[in-house]
Amino acid sequence: MTDRDIYLPVAAQPSVETLVGLGQLAEAHGYERLWLPETWGRDAVTALSSIARETTDVGIGSSLLNVYSRSPAVIGQTAATLQEVADGRLRLGLGPSGPRVIEGWHGAAFERPLRRTRETIDIVKRVLSGDTVEYDGDIFQLSGFRLRCEPPSPAPPIDAGGLGPKSVELAGRFADGWHAILFTADGMADRLGDFDRGTELGDRDRGSQRVTLSVPCCALEDRERARELARQHVAFYIGGMGTYYRDALARQGYEATASEVFERWNNGERETAVAAIDEELLDALAVAGTPEECRDRIGEFEAIDGVDALNISFPRAAERADIEATMAVLAP
């Protein structure tokens, strides 16, 4: 059975308490896990700590902490602390992000993202084991670090984000799961093949790994508003989040549309970029419309073979009432 998670919104939220309240509401609705991204608003760690203290059963997770702005040792310490605060409910999501974020926001060179992700996962696992970290990698050479507190038991699983074939294969080979964002059903089938190949290369137990697909959702009585909010959201990811989502959509068979949206968005033609997301593509990537439509359509994503959890996310411009309505409609 496919679990349903919530991808908490960070855009335009007035306070940490707002995020805590949404987390509590999701827990009351029976969602399995709350994921929180870290972009340009509040840091994910502080917010997740606050949510963990004010909930009791729902899992929490980062989706995703980038592997450039914190050292692997700090990420390991952070994961150990969050696991303690959450009483064992944490899944740690890691990923490289992209050059626009890493170079533009953090002033770091976006070099060897796959290798850096792999080495970070290796080091974080060693930190969480409680053993002294001795590591001689291509990027990191570490010696002597060890937690001076009890290591978490159990250690939190580590998921990796990825869009392209090699990054998804890496997730299967070295991580405990894969976080997928903005994929069609056919696109997921292709990348799941990469994930499974990675699992085999790493001699991992596929049954213990977890694939989570994030799906933009908006279920409102006002159908046109729901679809327009979702369409704006998809256009923003393709046009405004660097080249990765554009390229990922192109690999899924929508190269012309991906290029058009990207070019128009970056030329300042935001309205025409949004309009380029046609009905077929919107329905391939998102669940948006009336409550009845959305209850029916969410099952199409849940039926994708190999997906263990659906992450219900919300359009960037959705208001609190839109989020709460959608959360209620799509509750497990």
Side-chain angles (χ1 to χ4, degrees), residues 161-172:
L163 296 173
K166 289 300 182 182
S167 61
V168 177
E169 181 183 295
L170 180 148

Side-chain angles (χ1 to χ4, degrees), residues 17 23 54 62 88 90 93 114 132 169-170 172 207 231 248 286 296 305 308:
E17 287 307 307
E54 299 297 331
S62 59
L90 175 69
L114 295 183
T132 301
E169 181 183 295
L170 180 148
R231 186 176 278 108
D296 289 339
D305 189 34
D308 301 294

Side-chain angles (χ1 to χ4, degrees), residues 68 102-103 108-116 139:
Y68 288 88
I102 301 308
E103 296 179 354
F110 188 73
E111 296 174 347
R112 305 185 70 184
L114 295 183
R115 185 69 196 187
R116 191 179 185 100
I139 295 175

Side-chain angles (χ1 to χ4, degrees), residues 50-74:
S50 300
I51 292 167
R53 298 290 287 183
E54 299 297 331
T55 54
T56 56
D57 299 315
V58 67
I60 64 168
S62 59
S63 179
L64 299 160
L65 299 183
N66 79 72
V67 296
Y68 288 88
S69 61
R70 296 178 178 88
S71 74
V74 168

Side-chain angles (χ1 to χ4, degrees), residues 1-6 22-34 58 217-219 287 290-292 294-296 298-299 302 310-314 322-332:
M1 181 178 177
T2 306
D3 291 328
R4 290 190 192 177
D5 299 344
I6 286 291
L22 289 171
Q24 291 172 321
L25 183 60
E27 181 175 59
H29 280 306
Y31 286 96
E32 182 73 15
R33 187 170 301 275
L34 305 168
V58 67
C217 296
C218 194
V287 172
T290 65
E292 293 75 16
C294 292
R295 289 191 193 98
D296 289 339
I298 198 72
E302 289 180 321
L310 279 190
N311 203 341
I312 307 299
S313 70
F314 309 100
D322 304 322
I323 294 167
E324 291 186 358
T326 301
M327 200 182 291
V329 168
L330 298 180

Side-chain angles (χ1 to χ4, degrees), residues 260-275:
E260 180 182 359
V261 172
F262 184 85
E263 291 170 8
R264 290 184 180 279
W265 187 278
N266 287 280
N267 286 334
E269 303 169 30
R270 301 295 170 82
E271 290 186 5
T272 55
V274 172

Side-chain angles (χ1 to χ4, degrees), residues 111-285:
E111 296 174 347
R112 305 185 70 184
L114 295 183
R115 185 69 196 187
R116 191 179 185 100
T117 301
R118 171 184 170 173
E119 291 193 12
T120 298
I121 292 171
D122 286 345
I123 294 166
V124 170
K125 287 186 174 182
R126 295 187 192 197
V127 171
L128 292 172
S129 74
D131 295 335
T132 301
V133 177
E134 303 292 337
Y135 192 83
D136 185 18
D138 291 350
I139 295 175
F140 297 106
Q141 294 81 43
L142 307 178
S143 179
F145 179 84
R146 183 170 68 85
L147 286 176
R148 292 299 189 265
C149 58
E150 286 296 316
S153 182
I158 302 175
D159 295 342
L163 296 173
K166 289 300 182 182
S167 61
V168 177
E169 181 183 295
L170 180 148
R173 189 173 181 180
F174 298 104
D176 302 308
W178 169 43
H179 251 231
I181 297 177
L182 219 64
F183 277 93
T184 67
D186 289 342
M188 279 297 293
D190 290 340
R191 296 290 76 80
L192 280 164
D194 299 319
F195 184 80
D196 291 341
R197 182 169 56 255
T199 295
E200 293 176 4
L201 288 170
D203 195 24
R204 306 295 304 281
D205 175 13
R206 178 64 177 88
S208 69
Q209 293 174 309
R210 184 177 180 84
V211 172
T212 301
L213 171 62
S214 183
V215 180
C217 296
C218 194
L220 306 174
E221 295 295 342
D222 185 343
R223 184 179 191 273
E224 292 310 310
R225 172 176 168 77
R227 292 184 70 77
E228 186 61 18
L229 286 171
R231 186 176 278 108
Q232 291 171 1
H233 181 85
V234 170
F236 169 76
Y237 265 78
I238 298 168
M241 292 287 281
T243 60
Y244 283 90
Y245 291 100
R246 179 200 66 185
D247 295 345
L249 187 61
R251 282 191 294 268
Q252 296 175 73
Y254 295 90
E255 183 173 2
T257 300
S259 296
E260 180 182 359
V261 172
F262 184 85
E263 291 170 8
R264 290 184 180 279
W265 187 278
N266 287 280
N267 286 334
E269 303 169 30
R270 301 295 170 82
E271 290 186 5
T272 55
V274 172
I277 307 294
D278 63 24
E279 296 292 297
E280 176 192 354
L281 180 56
L282 182 63
D283 284 335
L285 294 171

